[in-house]
Amino acid sequence: MPAEIKGLNEECGVFGVFGVQDASQLTYYGLHTLQHRGQEGAGIVSTDSKELYQHRDRGLLAKVFANPNELKRLVGDAAIGHVRYGTSGHNSIANVQPFLFHFHDGDVALAHNGNLTNAVTLRRQLEDDGAVFQSDSDTEILIHLVRKYIKEGFIPALKKSLNIVHGGFAFLLLQKDRLIAALDPNGIRPLCIGQLENGAYVVASETCALDIVNAKFIRDVQPGELIVIDRDGLHIDHYTTNTQLAICSMEYIYFARPDSIIHGVTVHNARKQMGRLLAKQYPIDADMVIGVPNSSLSAASGYAEESGLPYEMGLIKSQYVARTFIQPTQALREQGVHLKLSAVRGVVAGKRVIVVDDSLVRGTTSKQIIKMLRHAGAKEVHMLIASPPFKFPCFYGIDISTRSELMAAHYSVSTMKELIGADSLHFLSVENLIKAINIPDAGDAPYGGLTVAYFNGDYPTPLYDYEEGYLKSLNEQEKRARKELKS
Ligand code: AMP
């Protein structure tokens, strides 16, 4: 295993419904709204109380279900679905979810958003005990554990297993007579419950998926909860009460759709507030504020409002290009940014421009944007990032589980400014990030109920399999920082 284990099951979206006609069709709409959470694969499993039916493939949802017969085949009044965001190399169909497992005592389908931090150890133990895995995804581990304890009954076995797996997880399971949802003890990934007019329940990664199917928001799934939905309705249970909310702050910064409401906070409003606080933290003398479509537009509008500077459209985005972030090589990523974004010469030429972006990870986007704006005649380009420097990896299910690629892990802000070619570079502070999001039901949870480990290295859980590689990378990092100071 490499020093830093690459997560195999990255940011994804899940959707499930129980008790409505054409459940797979509804799941299709829900997944469509969650497509921003994963573009590499998609699938749906449905049930008609007799059997479970599956269709999954690589690619965007519309491509996976391009043949309408595939959806028609998924009959029944309950279904779960998944959109997958994986990285290159592991994009085989075996890793596309929901997984479907056949057992003599009843089939089970499983979909997962997140990443398990003790997956390598568990998998080794299970394999040594005779388990045979079909995929290289960490998700499959849960079902092997359930089978190990199945003599205690399905729900007790599941509860036990959920206490053995660690990390960030939002699981959906489907059996012929029920839908089950479970969230990790820190609620790192978002998961919410809604209800359709006919009373049927819906579970989804984000509320935008409830809106599209006309489901009324009921509640967020809370850390440590096990929700069972069956013919008798909704049952809220726990597999652990040792919980503390630490939802991934990147959901608010970048991942979630702006119209989603997570733990009472509208994502757009949180981003706008990040922009406002950034303007307070770093007022800059310039002619205009521009955003980077689409992800930073909320933050940019907040910065403009607070600073009183005109909000302009200095960059436009081609609607026909997929995301650049997951391109396997740096050269392809740079090319990808060019295909995706263009500077509007008539707006920026001769102007002092403030660019607000939501985050800076590798620095590819910022560097290319600044080059483009200068090429289009911008006189000054100030880069303002509406989140803190991304210095530490995420082990809970976003595609940043190694430090090697993180620009802020290797360089000071002033060196980064030089590397991306900006006139100035500034980041939102961690305090302001927490203030901007301001989760109302966070109670006394540290960092306002958020995981901000990517910015301060303070992880809400032990890192298990990742610990050794992480510590090693920290040492290397320190050496490099000392070298940078000397030179
Ligand atoms: P980079 O070009 O590597 O600095 O990436 C930063 C840009 O990618 C930001 O402007 C975000 O909009 C976007 N981004 C941030 N985190 C992620 C992620 N985990 N996956 C995909 N895109 C991301």
Side-chain angles (χ1 to χ4, degrees), residues 85 250 254-255 295 323 325 357-366 398-400:
Y85 175 359
M250 280 305 281
Y254 169 76
F255 280 115
S295 55
R323 292 161 62 157
F325 196 87
D357 204 355
D358 56 85
S359 55
L360 188 152
V361 182
R362 300 182 182 101
T364 320
T365 313
S366 299
I398 59 174
D399 181 25
I400 308 169

Side-chain angles (χ1 to χ4, degrees), residues 202-231:
V202 176
V203 187
S205 293
E206 292 182 39
T207 59
C208 62
L210 303 184
D211 295 337
I212 197 76
V213 299
N214 281 325
K216 192 172 99 213
F217 172 80
I218 301 285
R219 70 198 283 280
D220 290 292
V221 177
Q222 297 298 330
E225 279 185 345
L226 183 80
I227 310 274
V228 180
I229 301 164
D230 58 19
R231 302 276 163 220

Side-chain angles (χ1 to χ4, degrees), residues 11 36 39 85 250 253-255 292-296 323-326 330 333 337 340 356-369 383 385 390 394 397-400 405-407 420:
E11 188 64 17
H36 61 283
Q39 301 90 42
Y85 175 359
M250 280 305 281
I253 295 167
Y254 169 76
F255 280 115
V292 185
N294 294 322
S295 55
S296 85
R323 292 161 62 157
T324 49
F325 196 87
I326 48 179
Q330 188 61 17
R333 274 194 289 270
V337 176
K340 193 163 79 172
V356 178
D357 204 355
D358 56 85
S359 55
L360 188 152
V361 182
R362 300 182 182 101
T364 320
T365 313
S366 299
K367 196 170 155 191
Q368 295 301 318
I369 286 172
M383 199 73 201
I385 307 292
F390 205 117
C394 171
I398 59 174
D399 181 25
I400 308 169
E405 292 178 314
L406 302 175
M407 197 180 218
I420 64 171

Side-chain angles (χ1 to χ4, degrees), residues 9 41 64 69 87 162-163 200 227 229 239 255-256 274 276 287 314 328 346 359 378 382 437 450 454 458 461-462:
N9 184 60
V64 172
N69 292 330
T87 48
L162 289 166
N163 279 293
I227 310 274
I229 301 164
Y239 64 89
F255 280 115
M274 290 171 208
R276 280 184 174 283
D287 300 314
S359 55
H382 302 274
I437 301 171
L450 295 164
Y454 332 120
D458 193 0
T461 67

